[in-house]
């Protein structure tokens, strides 16, 4: 199955878009906070270091620190002399394991320049973290987490090194942003989900109603629910469907009147034709009247496809196919049954029989014989009417299901009729929730297939 990153439903797209935008906003917020926190750390540690460097330089100029160096490695622990400020004539060595901090060095250099202190070779590094050993009577600084840093600068030919501290709180910031993101997702996505569901539920009902066949005359109004825009849409759809039902009812009444008004003079004409003495002329006129009557029946059937009061029933296709083939065999026509799956469909049996008769008539007329079979593919039952004819071109397959289209153009009833059989079969199949397709078999012949949903 192909993976789709972008959801197809309205609810999915709305939630996905909001979630992505929230993530992007939080990522930007995180970047800005990290940058601000870093500036804060530099300002705190760098400001302290600059103050101590300036103080050390002034004290050295007064002679208070002249000749003193940090002898922490040589003197016993606890007897360092002023370990926070060191002035030496040689560069201050970097302890093993120390991590350079070039950003802090650049920041201190800019602050010294602003303070009119000419400094060169400014360096900064963080000392390796050491486990804290609590001492008796001394309160720890557990509320001030940070790392010790050393800043060294060459001023007036001498090296000044001072100690400072930078805070470390990145984990706290990340934890805060994670909880903030989760809270935003909860506060925003849950209401959006509720609103989207409130919109999508009536929209799904509207979609199902719009997919139903208008010829079924199911004009039951949908319940107007959801936001005002959705309620207005449902109201407009209800009014539109009611107008369609009214138009279809008017069409049926008109067709009934036309059929009655045309059949009556045709029947009267047939009675009068019977009185003609010339047998040849009388036979030709009777054939013409029968063709007109049959064409009228086909046109009315096409116009009324899907209409009527017949209710849908659960029909086993094995029984329906057997009855249909028996009717043809009684009339001496070559219509046989092949493999028929034991499956049932929900349909109007008279209409489905009419569609299958049209297909079987075409198979017998153009292919010599008809073979009826039923196979199941997934949740679809495929009723196949096969013939042994020459088949059809792609252009013929595309056009023959249109009204009045025929493979043989003479319009003679003896060679196929008015060209409405496939159109009627297609409309009936679509009215029952299925489809009609035509395809050539590799070994020759044509398959006309009506596909209908399987009824459990």
């Amino acid at each position: 199955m192909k993976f789709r990153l972008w959801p197809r439903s309205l609810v999915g797209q709305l939630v996905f878009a909001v979630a992505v935008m929230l993530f992007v906003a939080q990522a930007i917020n995180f970047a800005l906070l990290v940058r601000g926190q870093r500036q804060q750390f530099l300002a705190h540690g760098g400001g302290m270091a600059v103050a101590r460097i300036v103080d050390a330089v002034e004290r050295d100029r007064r002679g208070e620190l002249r000749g003193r160096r940090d002898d922490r490695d040589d003197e016993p622990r606890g007897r360092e002399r002023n370990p926070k400020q060191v002035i030496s004539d040689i560069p201050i060595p970097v302890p093993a394991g120390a991590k350079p901090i070039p950003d802090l060095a650049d920041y201190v250099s800019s602050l010294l320049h602003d303070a009119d202190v000419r400094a060169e070779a400014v360096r900064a590094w963080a000392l390796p973290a050491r486990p804290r050993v609590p001492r008796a009577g001394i309160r720890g600084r557990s509320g001030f987490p940070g790392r010790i840093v050393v800043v060294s600068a060459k001023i007036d030919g001498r090296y000044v090194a001072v100690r400072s501290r930078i805070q470390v709180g990145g984990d706290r910031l990340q934890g805060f942003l994670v909880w903030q993101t989760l809270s935003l997702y909860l506060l925003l996505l849950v209401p959006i989900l509720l609103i989207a569901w409130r919109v999508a539920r009536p929209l799904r009902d509207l979609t199902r109603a719009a997919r139903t066949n208008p010829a079924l005359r199911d004009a039951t109004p949908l319940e107007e629910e959801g936001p005002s825009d959705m309620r207005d849409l449902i109201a407009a759809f209800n009014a539109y469907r009611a107008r369609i039902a009214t138009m279809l009812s008017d069409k049926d009444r008109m067709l009934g009147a036309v059929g009655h008004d045309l059949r009556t003079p045709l029947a009267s004409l047939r009675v009068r034709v019977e009185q003609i003495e010339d047998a040849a002329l009388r036979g030709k006129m009777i054939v013409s009247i029968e063709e007109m009557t049959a064409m009228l029946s086909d046109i009315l059937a096409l116009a009324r496809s899907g209409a009527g009061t017949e209710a849908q029933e659960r029909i086993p296709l094995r029984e329906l196919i057997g009855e249909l083939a028996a009717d043809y065999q009684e009339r001496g026509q070559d219509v046989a049954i092949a493999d028929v799956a034991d499956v049932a469909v929900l349909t109007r049996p008279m209409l489905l029989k009419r569609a299958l008769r049209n297909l079987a008539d075409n198979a017998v007329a153009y292919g010599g014989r008809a073979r009826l079979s039923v196979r199941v593919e997934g949740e679809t039952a495929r009723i196949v009417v096969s013939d042994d004819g020459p088949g059809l071109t792609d252009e013929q397959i595309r056009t023959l299901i249109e009204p009045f289209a025929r493979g043989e153009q003479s319009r003679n009833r003896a060679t196929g009729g008015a060209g409405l059989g496939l159109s009627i079969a297609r409309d009936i199949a679509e009215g029952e929730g299925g489809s009609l397709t035509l395809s050539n078999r590799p070994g020759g012949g044509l398959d006309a297939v009506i596909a209908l949903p399987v009824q459990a």
Side-chain angles (χ1 to χ4, degrees), residues 28 54 67 109 156 184 234 282 297 307 322-323 340 365 393 406 420 430 436:
I28 296 174
V54 172
S109 177
D156 297 335
L184 286 175
I234 295 175
R282 183 175 64 248
S297 299
E323 294 175 1
V340 178
T393 65
R406 299 180 69 241
L420 296 174
E430 293 178 352
L436 170 65

Side-chain angles (χ1 to χ4, degrees), residues 170-387:
D171 294 339
R172 293 184 179 182
L173 176 62
Q174 294 175 7
F176 168 76
L177 286 175
V178 168
W179 283 109
Q180 184 188 56
T181 302
L182 292 177
S183 300
L184 286 175
Y185 273 109
L186 185 64
L187 293 175
L188 291 179
L189 291 184
V190 170
I192 289 175
L193 278 172
L194 293 176
I195 295 173
W197 177 81
R198 187 167 177 257
V199 173
R201 186 166 59 89
L203 190 59
R204 286 193 294 268
D205 296 338
L206 182 62
T207 302
R208 284 193 295 268
R211 286 175 176 171
T212 59
N213 186 7
L216 298 178
R217 317 298 168 86
D218 182 15
T220 304
L222 294 177
E223 182 180 356
E224 298 179 13
E225 55 182 345
S228 60
D229 296 339
M230 182 58 62
R231 290 197 300 269
D232 293 341
L233 178 60
I234 295 175
F237 175 79
N238 288 335
Y240 178 70
R241 189 161 63 167
R243 289 196 297 270
I244 291 178
T246 301
M247 293 172 61
L248 291 176
S249 298
D250 293 341
K251 182 201 71 172
D252 289 345
R253 288 193 295 268
M254 180 190 69
L255 290 175
V258 170
H260 179 270
D261 292 344
L262 289 179
R263 282 195 177 98
T264 299
L266 285 174
S268 177
L269 184 61
R270 172 66 181 270
V271 172
R272 295 176 182 176
V273 166
E274 293 290 347
Q275 300 175 4
I276 297 177
E277 296 180 357
D278 189 342
L281 179 60
R282 183 175 64 248
K284 293 179 179 179
M285 295 180 67
I286 290 176
V287 170
S288 298
I289 293 174
E290 289 177 349
E291 289 181 357
M292 293 174 62
T293 303
M295 186 180 298
L296 176 62
S297 299
D298 287 345
I299 293 174
L300 292 178
L302 176 63
R304 289 175 174 174
S305 296
T309 59
E310 184 184 8
Q312 287 187 322
E313 302 176 18
R314 184 180 181 274
I315 302 298
L317 290 180
R318 188 186 299 274
E319 297 179 6
L320 187 142
I321 295 297
E323 294 175 1
L324 185 64
D327 291 341
Y328 278 97
Q329 291 168 1
E330 289 177 359
R331 300 198 300 267
Q333 293 180 311
D334 190 0
V335 176
I337 300 177
D339 296 332
V340 178
D342 188 9
V343 66
V345 296
L346 186 65
T347 183
R348 288 171 287 186
M350 296 303 296
L351 282 178
L352 182 58
K353 281 186 178 181
R354 176 64 183 271
L356 292 176
R357 284 196 184 98
N358 290 350
L359 298 180
D361 290 341
N362 284 343
V364 172
Y366 295 104
R369 65 175 185 169
R371 295 293 179 266
L372 306 179
S373 61
V374 177
R375 59 177 183 264
V376 179
E377 297 180 1
E379 298 296 326
T380 302
R382 299 174 65 84
I383 309 172
V384 184
V385 180
S386 304
D387 64 39

Side-chain angles (χ1 to χ4, degrees), residues 367 385-392 439-448:
V385 180
S386 304
D387 64 39
D388 295 332
L392 299 172
S439 61
N440 293 311
R441 290 198 309 277
L446 183 73
D447 285 345

